[in-house]
Amino acid sequence: MNFLRLAHRLETLAIEVTPWLRQQSGAPEGVETKPDGSQVTACDKEMERRFRLACKEGLGVPFAFLGEESEEIRQTPLSEITDFDYVAICDPIDGTANFIAGNGLYGCLLGIYRRTSEGVYQPSFGAVLLPESGHLYITEGDDVLDLN
């Protein structure tokens, strides 16, 4: 698997969403409280949708997508997830309380895990977008690329 296409798609996504996230930070639209007491914003949901689309466009292989805000994660049996060789795990805005507060301490996270021949999922690719600092970190194996 070559993750170059996904990295390019995430770089494009970062360019598109960074100004919007900076503008929303401190006064985001659609703040709701989840049953567990944590908060979610319309930005969380939109970022998750965009990460899912970036994976669909960039990975080029079938994959399961688990997002913190997805209704699907609560309804998808584990047996269906393990049918895939690749699993994308997304926290669309890690630090939602900080995002709402506007203090800049939040990020957008994506990890891609690949099932090994032993049936164990291991991290293969990651992306961390830090909109306030303008950094996008891409990892594949031990290699880290800082796109700012």
Side-chain angles (χ1 to χ4, degrees):
M1 162 71 56
N2 183 338
F3 291 111
L4 184 59
R5 184 174 47 205
L6 178 58
H8 177 69
R9 181 63 193 103
L10 292 172
E11 181 181 21
T12 301
L13 176 63
I15 292 166
E16 292 170 359
V17 300
T18 293
W20 170 69
L21 288 169
R22 287 177 179 166
Q23 185 267 332
Q24 289 287 313
S25 181
E29 299 170 0
V31 178
E32 301 172 15
T33 301
K34 297 190 285 189
D36 67 2
S38 63
Q39 293 180 301
V40 62
T41 70
C43 295
D44 287 273
K45 294 174 183 178
E46 177 61 14
M47 282 303 300
E48 186 167 306
R49 185 191 71 76
R50 288 177 179 237
F51 270 128
R52 182 187 302 266
L53 182 60
C55 288
K56 184 178 178 183
E57 293 172 348
L59 280 176
V61 296
F63 64 96
F65 186 92
L66 303 177
E68 184 180 9
E69 309 310 334
S70 296
E71 290 303 316
E72 291 84 1
I73 191 172
R74 294 182 234 330
Q75 299 173 1
T76 304
L78 185 58
S79 61
E80 288 184 28
I81 295 167
T82 57
D83 286 344
F84 293 92
D85 288 334
Y86 292 90
V87 176
I89 300 176
C90 173
D91 188 345
I93 299 182
D94 184 39
T96 298
N98 291 322
F99 179 70
I100 293 168
N103 65 22
L105 300 175
Y106 66 93
C108 306
L109 313 176
L110 177 69
I112 306 293
Y113 293 76
R114 182 178 180 271
R115 185 172 42 201
T116 66
S117 59
E118 295 82 27
V120 176
Y121 286 94
Q122 292 187 335
S124 299
F125 178 93
V128 176
L129 171 61
L130 302 174
E132 297 299 324
S133 67
H135 288 269
L136 171 63
Y137 297 97
I138 300 284
T139 67
E140 185 177 1
D142 293 334
D143 296 325
V144 178
L145 178 62
D146 177 3
L147 304 169
N148 60 8

